[in-house]
Structure formats: C-alpha cells, structure tokens
Amino acid sequence: MASEQELDAFLRGVEKRAFKRSLYHVRNQESALDIVQDSMMKLAEHYGHKPAAELPMLFQRILTNSTLDWFRRQKTQNALFTRMGDFESNQDGGDFDALESLLLDRDPNQNDNPQNQADRAQTLRVIEEEIQELPARQREAFLMRYWEDMDVAETASTMGCSQGSVKTHCFRAVAALSKALRARGIFL
Amino acid sequence: MNQFGSRIASHLDDALQGVPRDVAERLRAARVQALAGRRMTEAAHAPAVVQQGGSAALQGGFGFWGWAAAVLPLLALTLGLLGIGNFQEQLRAIEIADVDAELLTGDLPTSAYTDPGFAEYLKVDLKN
C-alpha cells in the first residue's frame, strides 16, 4: 500500500504533465484543471490502498477516462461529435516494428543563450498547436508512448485498444506532426 | 521515428516549466484535497475494521468461563423477572378471591350491586 508521502510524491511528479495533456485535449485551462483534480481525487480515494508501483498506470487510465467523461458532457457542442468519433477504436492495427525499438535519449537543451531560448519557445508553441490538431486517439497514443514513456502494451491497456492500433495511431501521429512541422519550417 | 517522437517529447518537457504560477498553485491545492480525501476514506473504513476485530475476538478463544460470565447474568435477570411477574399475578388473584368471597358471603344479594338505584344510594350515603 502506497504511503501518503509516496502518493503525494507521485501526484507532485505527474500533476503538471497531466494538466498539459488534458489541456492539449480539451483546449480549455479550467476544464483541464477540473479533469486533473477529478483524476487525483479518484486515484487517492479509490486506489490509495494500491502499491506505489501501480499508481502510474492507474492514474493514466483514470486521466484518460476523466477526459472522455468531459467530452461526453459536452453533448451540446457540435465539435464534440468529431472528437468523440476520434476516440472510437479503429480496427486497422497494422504492425510497425520501428516503434518497438527503444526510445533514444532525449536531446538535452544544450544552448542557453536568449536567441536559442526564444527559438525553442517558438518551436514549442508550434508543436503544441500541431499536437492539438491531431485526432484525439492519435494524440493520446503519441503522448503516452513518447511523453509518458509508456510501452505499447501499457498504452494499449490504458486506451482500451489493441497494440496494433496503438502502433497505427503513433505512426500516423508522427507522420502528421513531421509533415506539419516541416511545412512550418521546423526540422527536428 | 522514435527519435523524432523523443525530440517532440523533449520540447514538451519545456512546456512544464512554463505552467503559470496560478495553475501550479491550483494543482497543488488539488493534490492536497486528494490526499485529504484519501484520509477521510481511510477514516470511514476504520470503524468497520474495529467492528470486525471485535467479532473476531468473540469468535476466538473466549473460553467456558468467559461464556458463563456473559450468559449467567442474563439468565439470572430473566429468571428474576419471571419470578416477580408470577408473584404479582398471585397477589392479584388473592385480592380478587377476597372480593369475591366478601360479595358471596355478604347480606346483600349480588344483583343489588348492578342496580343503578343502589349505586346512587351508596353515593348519597357516603356524602352524608
């Protein structure tokens, strides 16, 4: 059973990332905060007795479900139906073995001069915009795989779809982001 | 492809540093509230555990003397109440028997006690 200190440390470590993930989905700061708060409450009250090692997966699943619940509550908005459709699982799960290999180490921020910082901030702004433009399932799979460092099986379990679908979503997300960023003059 | 995804993720990590102060504060408050909720949930479950512990103790090695100490006072109380009830019933029966005996052995006929005129005579006589 996770102690209160362990739970506190875990939530402290994931809260900002969870907020940004929710924000990319719902595009509304207040709603993203509500989703994260709701997820924290559910984790602490219903799964606080679980071992600390199980908390990350549980929290990711709760956060995903809370985000879906938020979309379900937005029934009056036309945009909802497009996004909800995006959340539906598709069955075209092809194999993309390139995603099976280990993630490369992330590039450290090597240059700290103001010009580079400004360039990096501009790049981040564009990346965030393009991530928000992704279909929801692709965005979810991409963020879990590459930002949360979850493997294909964990991502599939959390998203409630097959591992093949996760690979498909990630492949399409990477392709779409790469194309969109190149079109805006950003080469990573 | 993995390298591209990882570089995107690296940029997204920068976004965490740019979370506004008020958002960070609200996230902190949400975390504190979640931990408080967990404490309340644990407190709500605590009496049930204690109760289960009590029943477990009763089911365990309570022993003959423990059982006797719990049951004998109850048995004594029950027998005492039954005795008192029986004694009061007997007293009531004796009183009724005495009244019946007085009625049957008196000079007046029994029907006189059901006569309204005689009852009125007794009231007037008692007032005088």
Side-chain angles (χ1 to χ4, degrees), chain A residues 18-113:
Chain A
F19 166 72
K20 292 297 285 187
R21 257 184 64 194
S22 298
L23 187 60
Y24 294 146
H25 283 305
V26 302
R27 306 183 190 194
N28 178 285
Q29 181 172 301
E30 289 300 315
S31 299
L33 279 167
D34 287 344
I35 288 169
V36 174
Q37 180 174 6
D38 193 38
S39 301
M40 284 180 172
M41 291 293 290
K42 285 177 181 169
L43 180 77
E45 290 181 8
H46 301 301
Y47 300 99
H49 60 283
K50 294 282 187 182
E54 293 182 19
L55 296 180
M57 276 292 288
L58 285 168
F59 185 71
Q60 295 303 333
R61 192 168 297 176
I62 292 169
L63 188 66
T64 297
N65 289 337
S66 296
T67 307
L68 277 171
D69 289 342
W70 182 88
F71 278 110
R72 291 194 182 102
R73 286 195 294 268
Q74 310 301 310
K75 287 181 180 176
T76 54
Q77 296 180 8
N78 291 333
L80 160 81
F81 297 106
T82 308
R83 293 185 189 174
M84 282 296 287
D86 291 338
F87 267 99
E88 297 297 327
S89 288
N90 63 33
Q91 301 300 321
D92 54 344
D95 286 335
F96 294 91
D97 293 338
L99 289 174
E100 292 288 351
S101 57
L102 292 172
L103 294 176
L104 299 177
D105 290 337
R106 292 173 181 174
D107 290 343
N109 189 3
Q110 295 173 345
N111 301 310
D112 291 332
N113 68 61

Side-chain angles (χ1 to χ4, degrees), chain A residues 1-4 8 12 15 17 24 29-30 33 37 41 44 48 98-99 101 104 106-107 120 124 127-128 142 146-147 171 174 178 181 188, chain B residues 1-16 19-20 22-24 26-28 30-31 33-35 37-39 41-42:
Chain A
M1 176 178 169
S3 66
E4 184 166 326
D8 183 43
R12 189 190 301 268
E15 62 191 15
R17 194 184 295 251
Y24 294 146
Q29 181 172 301
E30 289 300 315
L33 279 167
Q37 180 174 6
M41 291 293 290
L99 289 174
S101 57
L104 299 177
R106 292 173 181 174
D107 290 343
R120 199 165 170 87
L124 171 62
I127 287 173
E128 287 188 319
F142 177 84
Y146 293 102
W147 204 23
F171 177 81
V174 167
S178 176
L181 293 178
L188 297 177
Chain B
M1 189 182 302
N2 285 337
Q3 191 173 8
F4 177 81
S6 299
R7 284 177 179 163
I8 295 268
S10 171
H11 281 279
L12 292 179
D13 283 340
D14 290 350
L16 300 180
V19 170
D22 63 320
V23 171
R26 285 185 60 181
L27 289 171
R28 189 196 65 79
R31 172 163 36 90
Q33 192 177 349
L35 292 170
R38 185 207 191 199
R39 280 194 290 274
T41 305
E42 285 180 349

